[in-house]
Amino acid sequence: MFIPQIIYIETTNRCNARCIMCPHIKMQRKKGMMAQQVFEKIIHSIKEINLDKIHLFLHKEGEPLLDSNIIERIKYTKTHLKGLKELAINTNAMLLTEDKSNGLLNSGLDTIYFSVDGASAEVYNKIRVKLNYDVVEANLKKFFELRLQHGNRIRVIMQMLTNKDNFHEVDMFKKKWQHENCEFYIKQMHCYLDGTSSSFPQNKNKKQLHVCEDPFRVVVIYINGDIGICCWDYDNAYKIGNINDDSLIRLYNNEKFTYLREMQLKKDCGHIIPCNRCMRIYGNDVITRFDRD
């Protein structure tokens, strides 16, 4: 029986940005917020799993701070999933007001990722379209100030996706935030199936080159309770089932998930949508290569 190590709960799939690498603008799924009863059902279903090995993210396709209930949902999760290895969110920080910063610092959240793909307004605003670097920077500075006041030990990870347009700002990015007791996650920009920008060559091989590790460790739960296979399948093209119909652990080990794992190990996903157009296994976008030869 397979047990997920990483769980994404998409409490909202709405976003306030139009980032150049993200396929969000192409998403056909209905946009909205996850119903509270669906959220609670998911949390209680996770109780069946060994919590000390689970990294739980309360975001997926959208910006989590657009969920007006995100802080209460963090508190609910921490109350009902005691012993969870990690509870995290990833935000672009554009909506990180002082009230929201205080709320997050008092919520019990373990880790927060701030996605900031630049160290200057000129570079950042061309990548994180519709956002404003000056606002983001001010919000982050206030957050760090409040964290110090609270004596809060929340883990902060400053994330930067790089391509040819912003790679020259990596050192500036680190220098700007290194005094804030944070970690850095610098990685190359990926295509995310249908994004328009990538640091990797987009030459698709006719045969599958690699085995993706996501079906063996990741599960995604979309706003309506549908179960997904990876964080790149933004439209839930490969349908597993719905949390309202069965438990999470049984869905994670059902026939469709099992078949996908078998095809991945055989490197035979040419007939499986969206795997058959994924550059992580048909190209050299190597963020999660998982060869088992």
Side-chain angles (χ1 to χ4, degrees):
M1 182 171 67
F2 285 92
I3 307 294
Q5 300 171 32
I6 300 172
I7 301 174
Y8 291 91
I9 302 177
E10 183 186 72
T11 71
T12 181
N13 60 359
R14 293 174 178 165
C15 192
N16 57 338
R18 292 294 181 269
C19 304
I20 63 171
M21 79 298 286
C22 182
H24 188 273
I25 195 171
K26 299 181 181 181
M27 187 175 71
Q28 297 299 307
R29 290 188 293 122
K30 183 179 179 180
K31 296 179 178 66
M33 305 287 176
M34 178 176 282
Q36 185 63 19
Q37 64 183 30
V38 174
F39 180 79
E40 291 180 7
K41 185 175 182 62
I42 294 166
I43 296 302
H44 289 279
S45 191
I46 292 174
K47 283 185 177 181
E48 300 178 16
I49 308 172
N50 186 358
L51 295 177
D52 63 7
K53 295 182 179 179
I54 294 178
H55 299 267
L56 178 58
F57 294 87
L58 296 187
H59 69 267
K60 200 279 178 184
E61 212 56 56
E63 163 54 48
L65 296 186
L66 280 171
D67 178 0
S68 59
N69 297 318
I70 189 63
I71 292 170
E72 292 307 313
R73 285 173 164 169
I74 292 168
K75 292 178 180 178
Y76 187 92
T77 301
K78 294 295 286 188
T79 297
H80 292 277
L81 296 182
K82 296 185 184 301
L84 190 68
K85 185 176 181 66
E86 181 185 37
L87 178 62
I89 64 169
N90 188 323
T91 173
N92 59 45
M94 183 69 185
L95 303 175
L96 189 67
T97 62
E98 183 171 344
D99 284 346
K100 287 180 180 176
S101 290
N102 281 316
L104 290 169
L105 289 166
N106 289 315
S107 66
L109 187 68
D110 298 308
T111 304
I112 187 164
Y113 289 76
F114 292 125
S115 290
V116 188
D117 301 329
S120 70
E122 180 183 6
V123 169
Y124 173 93
N125 292 341
K126 291 178 181 178
I127 295 172
R128 294 267 166 178
V129 179
K130 294 192 70 174
L131 303 185
N132 184 301
Y133 180 78
D134 293 332
V135 173
V136 169
E137 183 181 58
N139 289 348
L140 290 175
K141 287 181 177 179
K142 188 62 178 180
F143 177 89
F144 284 120
E145 177 186 326
L146 292 169
R147 183 179 67 161
L148 192 60
Q149 292 176 10
H150 283 257
N152 190 288
R153 302 185 64 171
I154 187 172
R155 182 186 182 202
V156 176
I157 300 175
M158 296 296 296
Q159 177 174 288
M160 182 177 178
L161 303 181
T162 64
N163 67 1
K164 60 181 177 58
D165 297 320
N166 68 348
F167 185 76
H168 65 283
E169 290 199 344
V170 169
D171 289 341
M172 190 190 312
F173 177 78
K174 290 181 177 180
K175 185 176 181 180
K176 179 169 285 191
W177 302 108
Q178 64 186 0
H179 62 286
E180 297 291 3
N181 188 24
C182 60
E183 301 172 36
F184 292 98
Y185 184 25
I186 312 295
K187 63 179 181 178
Q188 291 177 277
M189 199 171 288
H190 300 275
C191 67
Y192 301 98
L193 286 182
D194 297 303
T196 59
S197 181
S198 175
S199 294
F200 295 89
Q202 295 300 295
N203 301 318
K204 185 174 180 292
N205 198 282
K206 292 182 179 180
K207 292 185 178 181
Q208 184 174 339
L209 301 174
H210 314 296
V211 175
C212 179
E213 71 175 340
D214 278 12
F216 299 89
R217 64 169 191 153
V218 173
V219 66
V220 172
I221 310 171
Y222 299 97
I223 58 167
N224 64 349
D226 281 347
I227 304 299
I229 57 173
C230 80
C231 59
W232 282 22
D233 186 9
Y234 57 89
D235 256 335
N236 189 25
Y238 190 83
K239 303 189 187 310
I240 296 294
N242 190 285
I243 194 67
N244 291 307
D245 300 327
D246 209 340
S247 72
L248 180 60
I249 198 64
R250 283 194 291 270
L251 288 163
Y252 196 63
N253 288 276
N254 70 8
E255 289 184 10
K256 289 207 69 176
F257 233 132
T258 299
Y259 178 74
L260 176 62
R261 295 185 184 107
E262 291 173 351
M263 293 300 100
Q264 281 288 351
L265 291 175
K266 292 178 180 179
K267 295 184 181 178
D268 188 20
C269 292
H271 59 293
I272 295 177
I273 300 171
C275 302
N276 58 3
R277 71 177 194 270
C278 182
M279 293 302 292
R280 287 156 67 182
I281 59 176
Y282 282 92
N284 290 301
D285 205 332
V286 295
I287 184 172
T288 54
R289 182 176 294 180
F290 189 61
D291 291 326
R292 276 190 163 187
D293 294 338

